[in-house]
Amino acid sequence: MPAITVHDKSFETYLPEETILQRVKEIAAEINKDYAGRRPLFIAILNGSFMFASDLFKQLNIEAELCFIKLASYKGMKSSGNVVTSIGLEDDLFNKEVIIVEDIVDTGKTLHNFLPKLMHQQPKSLKIATLLHKADATEYPLQLDYVGFSIPNKFVVGYGLDYDGLGRNLKEIYQLV
Ligand code: IMP
């Protein structure tokens, strides 16, 4: 298997481009069926989900909206942990059919902290589509409605995912050797 180096680490091909695109098509087909006539709003979480969101959106044949947001975590006044805020969410979510688009769910902490803030706006429905899920690493309960691939608890790069800023442009997904 062809290996690549990103920064100081070696990675090997894990999911080839065709495999990813085929799975994205299948997820889009499910969403096309589930959301026919419902005009969902996709909220894609930057930076990692940009490629998945783009390829997924191209395969939709229903009416749908898309926005990109960035989540920022900062230390709160108390030592109780990180608070997550969103940047770029201008749409009013009241009564909307929302689908969150993520690149990867690892511990689940990011979405677990963020979802209550979205629920506060009273969307009509809220579902999660994630390309990758590290099931063994998940510590925070989350219902994942559309999952591309369940993967082992190993670091991956490519197809939007980075290692310390690099690797997002790779067409395939690579796993740490
Ligand atoms: P969580 O809050 O632990 O679920 O982490 C989610 C975020 O961590 C993702 O949106 C990614 O930005 C990052 N992340 C987790 N695992 C990986 C990985 O294997 N490669 C690249 N980024 C990762």
Side-chain angles (χ1 to χ4, degrees):
M1 254 187 231
I4 57 157
T5 303
V6 181
H7 289 298
D8 54 335
K9 300 249 188 303
S10 290
F11 292 85
E12 60 190 9
T13 308
Y14 177 58
L15 295 170
E17 187 183 10
E18 315 83 76
T19 309
I20 299 168
L21 294 179
Q22 178 54 36
R23 187 70 190 118
V24 172
K25 263 190 190 172
E26 290 168 8
I27 294 172
E30 272 187 69
I31 293 175
N32 282 329
K33 191 155 69 76
D34 295 348
Y35 284 85
R38 292 171 62 188
R39 197 186 288 185
L41 166 65
F42 289 77
I43 301 180
I45 303 193
L46 291 171
N47 293 325
S49 75
F50 76 96
M51 269 197 201
F52 175 41
S54 168
D55 285 336
L56 183 69
F57 213 69
K58 277 188 270 184
Q59 299 295 333
L60 297 178
N61 57 26
I62 52 170
E63 283 194 338
E65 296 176 80
L66 171 66
C67 72
F68 286 88
I69 65 165
K70 188 143 186 157
L71 298 183
S73 46
Y74 55 86
K75 292 266 181 205
M77 301 284 287
K78 296 178 195 157
S79 58
S80 56
N82 293 341
V83 180
V84 179
T85 84
S86 63
I87 301 164
L89 186 58
E90 279 141 27
D91 300 62
D92 180 5
L93 303 186
F94 180 72
N95 225 12
K96 291 260 181 176
E97 308 256 29
V98 174
I99 303 176
I100 304 286
V101 181
E102 255 292 27
D103 52 352
I104 185 165
V105 172
D106 183 9
T107 65
K109 186 176 184 185
T110 310
L111 285 185
H112 181 83
N113 286 343
F114 181 55
L115 290 189
K117 293 178 203 303
L118 291 185
M119 289 308 287
H120 197 67
Q121 289 198 37
Q122 297 180 281
K124 187 169 183 182
S125 64
L126 181 61
K127 292 205 173 183
I128 300 172
T130 185
L131 180 68
L132 304 174
H133 180 213
K134 287 185 185 167
D136 292 343
T138 303
E139 294 169 25
Y140 295 79
L142 274 181
Q143 190 188 322
L144 303 175
D145 303 284
Y146 304 98
V147 176
F149 303 92
S150 210
I151 65 167
N153 190 7
K154 276 194 181 177
F155 197 81
V156 287
V157 289
Y159 196 70
L161 291 118
D162 74 310
Y163 165 45
D164 204 7
L166 296 182
R168 294 194 196 277
N169 53 311
L170 299 163
K171 293 186 182 70
E172 317 201 303
I173 292 177
Y174 293 79
Q175 190 176 58
L176 189 64
V177 177

